Every structure is written in structure tokens, then in C-alpha cells.
Amino acid sequence: MEVHHHHSSIEHKKWHHYFWEFFMLFLAVILGFLVENQREHMVERQREKIYMQNLLEDLGRDIVQFNLQFIFQQRAVNYADSLVYIMKSPERNKYLSDAYFYARILAIVNPLLFSNATVTQLKSSGSLRLIRKESVADSIVQYDVWTQRIKAVDENIQNLIGDFRSTAGLIFDASVFSNMSNNLLIRNNGSGAFISRPKQLLPLIDDDKKTINQLCVYAHFFAALYQSYFNNLISQQKRATNLIQLLKKEYHL
């Protein structure tokens, strides 16, 4: 009997066929991963540059605020010293117009408002990791650290202003202060320019030595704090200027 051998209708693929199929699939996955990774890097680089552009604008606004604060603080130091001199002088009554004026200016709250929206967003969203350049990241962190320190000094000054106002209310006549700021709504530009020296003077409502001495102690603290504040702002302005130059150089802004 003749025996017939039947070949299978399924032709088995050789091993190298499977290898190339696997390799092509692997290559497609790797390429897809690389493309997606590259796309994410491009998006992050774009976000980084946008952050740096916004930070550049914030720093510019800070420098404007620093310049305004320099004028205010230098004047505050001078007025605080002058107020102590007048209030301790045996001829105090001759200079009451100046005393009222200096006391009223020193009672102004003029906080420094940092434009820190970009830095806050970088920290809160974890986006500081986007900054590839170590020198830029370090400069931003240092600027923020000193910003917080300056804010702490500013808070101390505002607390001191509250104490100063309370004591001034025991010494100076409120009606005189009222007449000194009649142009408040017209000339208020945040600098105290709306305050004018009193034209009609009333005597102090209390010349108690202890109360006057307390006022002078607060004025002395004003001078010390404002001087420290002033020095810190000079250094912070240099940091802001250097950081602006660094951002322009590294990001071609």
C-alpha cells in the first residue's frame, strides 16, 4: 500500500521572522516614547521661558517699588531723629509745627508690596524643577529668601506704627492733624505729600515727661528699623538687577 504524507496547510514561520516582528514593534514603542518625551521637554522649555519672562516683569516692578521706598524711608529716618530732638528740647513749643508734621508723617503705613506672583507659583506648583540653569535657580531662591526677611522687618515697622499712633494720640491734638490732611483725596500718591504743616497750632494736650519719652523711644526705634530696612532694600535691589541681567542673558529675553 502506498502511503501518502500530507503537508500541513500552515507554514511555520522561521525564528528570525518573529525576531524582526518583535524588533519592529519594540522600535515603534521606543520611537513613540522618544517623540512623546521630546514633546514634553519642548512644552517644559516653553513653560520655563514664560515663567522667566513673567519673573522679569515682576522684578522690574519691584525695582520701581524700591525706588519709592528709598525716598520714604530716608525721610522717615530724618523725621524720627528730628522729632526726638524737638520733643526733648527745652524750646519745644517754638517748633511744634515741625513736631506735628514729623509725627503725622511717621504715622503713615507704607508697606512694600513685592510682585512675587511668579515666584509663589513656581514654589507652590513645584515648577522650580523646570529651571535647568543652576545659577538662575539659586538666584531666584536667594531673592525669595531675602524678600521674606524684608517682609518680616516691614511687619515689625507696621506693628511699631500702631504703638506710635497710640502714644501720639495722648500728646498731639487730633484737630490739628485733621487740618493737616485736608487735601488727602486730591494729592494722595502714597508718599505722604498730602500732609502739610499746620497753619494754626494748638498746644500739646499732654506734656507728661514719661509719655513724651515713650513717643521718643518709638521714634528712635523707627530710625533704627528704617535704616536697617533701607540697607536691606539696597542689597535687594542689587539682587533684582543682577537677576534681571542673568535672565536676559540665559533666556535671550
Side-chain angles (χ1 to χ4, degrees), residues 119-133:
V119 173
T120 300
Q121 189 174 7
L122 282 169
K123 293 191 301 181
S124 62
S125 65
S127 297
L128 279 171
R129 63 177 180 78
L130 297 177
I131 304 175
R132 295 165 294 165
K133 303 177 187 298

Side-chain angles (χ1 to χ4, degrees), residues 89-105:
S89 171
E91 298 181 325
R92 180 176 59 221
N93 291 337
K94 292 183 179 181
Y95 306 102
L96 283 183
S97 176
D98 288 334
Y100 269 96
F101 180 70
Y102 297 150
R104 182 62 185 85
I105 294 293

Side-chain angles (χ1 to χ4, degrees), residues 134-147:
E134 185 175 349
S135 59
V136 174
D138 289 343
S139 296
I140 292 174
V141 170
Q142 282 299 311
Y143 187 80
D144 182 57
V145 167
W146 278 99
T147 294

Side-chain angles (χ1 to χ4, degrees), residues 33-234:
F33 173 78
L34 291 176
V35 169
E36 181 63 21
N37 193 48
Q38 182 64 23
R39 188 189 70 82
E40 289 181 1
H41 277 298
M42 290 179 61
V43 171
E44 288 184 348
R45 296 294 79 82
Q46 292 174 352
R47 289 178 60 199
E48 178 187 10
K49 191 165 186 177
I50 291 173
Y51 274 127
M52 296 304 101
Q53 179 63 54
N54 292 341
L55 178 59
L56 191 68
E57 294 173 1
D58 287 349
L59 292 169
R61 286 189 283 267
D62 281 353
I63 289 178
V64 172
Q65 287 295 313
F66 294 158
N67 291 330
L68 293 175
Q69 283 288 331
F70 290 151
I71 298 172
F72 183 87
Q73 290 172 17
Q74 283 180 314
R75 182 182 60 187
V77 171
N78 292 333
Y79 285 3
D81 288 339
S82 297
L83 180 63
V84 173
Y85 177 81
I86 291 173
M87 298 304 289
K88 289 293 187 178
S89 171
E91 298 181 325
R92 180 176 59 221
N93 291 337
K94 292 183 179 181
Y95 306 102
L96 283 183
S97 176
D98 288 334
Y100 269 96
F101 180 70
Y102 297 150
R104 182 62 185 85
I105 294 293
L106 290 173
I108 295 175
V109 176
N110 189 39
L112 175 60
L113 303 177
F114 280 94
S115 298
N116 60 347
T118 303
V119 173
T120 300
Q121 189 174 7
L122 282 169
K123 293 191 301 181
S124 62
S125 65
S127 297
L128 279 171
R129 63 177 180 78
L130 297 177
I131 304 175
R132 295 165 294 165
K133 303 177 187 298
E134 185 175 349
S135 59
V136 174
D138 289 343
S139 296
I140 292 174
V141 170
Q142 282 299 311
Y143 187 80
D144 182 57
V145 167
W146 278 99
T147 294
Q148 302 310 317
R149 292 179 180 178
I150 291 172
K151 285 183 176 180
V153 177
D154 191 51
E155 185 176 349
N156 287 337
I157 290 175
Q158 293 186 48
N159 291 335
L160 182 59
I161 288 175
D163 295 333
F164 179 85
R165 286 175 170 178
S166 297
T167 305
L170 302 175
I171 299 173
F172 297 100
D173 194 301
S175 61
V176 177
F177 281 154
S178 178
N179 291 331
M180 292 167 61
S181 55
N182 286 336
N183 296 324
L184 176 61
L185 297 178
I186 300 175
R187 301 176 58 192
N188 183 9
N189 58 7
S191 66
F194 57 89
I195 303 296
S196 58
R197 281 178 168 76
K199 296 179 180 179
Q200 294 182 348
L201 277 178
L202 296 174
L204 301 177
I205 61 174
D206 191 353
D207 61 357
D208 176 69
K209 289 184 178 181
K210 288 185 178 180
T211 307
I212 289 177
N213 185 73
Q214 183 65 70
L215 184 79
C216 291
V217 168
Y218 288 143
H220 170 75
F221 289 158
F222 267 134
L225 279 174
Y226 274 125
Q227 186 61 58
S228 174
Y229 199 16
F230 181 81
N231 293 335
N232 286 336
L233 283 189
I234 290 178

